[in-house]
Amino acid sequence: MMKQLLACALCLTMLFTADAYAQLQEKIDLKIGAGTTLSPTGVLGVGSADYRLSENIALTAMMQWSLGELQDIVFPSFGGRLILPRSVISGSEKSGLELSALFGAGPVYREVNGFKASHVGYTTGLGVDMFLGSGFSFGGTALVNLTSNVVEDSFFSVFGHVGFHF
């Protein structure tokens, strides 16, 4: 009797674990990329992590950094992403094109031509990702970054990235 109860408990645990894993699958997106800032031009590094609340909405943490001769930027931001999912565009949930609109805010440190400033920044933009089966994507994003600094009140960034989805 005890062996049967243990076997039943083991089966229920495995079913519960499989169901929990299926619900968590592809809820986390990690992306890393590189690109450029415009005005002034500089090399840009980008990293982001998303947690998908649904097929259409994700919470996002992003870091943009540019360390160069003309400017230094460190801009962590927190916000969200509105997603037009790949199932709408291509009819497939595993592969295809996904479009998104990003928005966020955070502290910004900038040094441009010797002028240093720390202030609040806001970012908004559009992104596109091409999913190649489960777990991997590549794409690009264009952002407008607005800051509370009156001297250098905005900068644009364009970058490509690779993504891993869990």
Side-chain angles (χ1 to χ4, degrees):
M1 179 71 166
M2 186 63 138
K3 288 182 181 179
Q4 292 169 337
L5 285 174
L6 285 174
C8 183
L10 182 60
C11 286
L12 287 174
T13 303
M14 289 175 64
L15 286 172
F16 177 75
T17 304
D19 182 53
Y21 178 73
Q23 289 178 6
L24 284 175
Q25 216 170 12
E26 295 209 12
K27 290 220 179 233
I28 297 174
D29 301 333
L30 298 176
K31 298 177 185 174
I32 189 155
T36 186
T37 59
L38 309 173
S39 79
T41 303
V43 175
L44 179 75
V46 179
S48 70
D50 294 352
Y51 179 76
R52 290 187 183 230
L53 299 173
S54 72
E55 188 178 28
N56 301 79
I57 299 172
L59 297 176
T60 301
M62 183 177 5
M63 174 67 88
Q64 299 179 67
W65 68 92
S66 176
L67 305 173
E69 191 174 310
L70 294 177
Q71 73 173 346
D72 292 338
I73 298 172
V74 178
F75 183 12
S77 62
F78 305 93
R81 196 161 62 103
L82 300 175
I83 305 161
L84 184 60
R86 50 193 178 264
S87 60
V88 171
I89 298 171
S90 66
S92 169
E93 296 212 7
K94 293 290 183 192
S95 62
L97 204 59
E98 185 173 272
L99 303 174
S100 60
L102 298 89
F103 57 91
V108 179
Y109 169 79
R110 285 185 78 190
E111 182 178 340
V112 180
N113 296 326
F115 178 76
K116 298 177 184 180
S118 296
H119 41 270
V120 177
Y122 309 94
T123 187
T124 185
L126 298 173
V128 61
D129 288 285
M130 176 57 106
F131 283 76
L132 303 173
S134 183
F136 181 74
S137 70
F138 67 93
T141 302
L143 296 174
V144 176
N145 299 289
L146 306 170
T147 70
S148 61
N149 183 353
V150 295
V151 176
E152 288 283 338
D153 63 350
S154 66
F155 65 96
F156 302 94
S157 45
V158 179
F159 55 90
H161 58 259
V162 294
F164 305 95
H165 313 280
F166 308 96

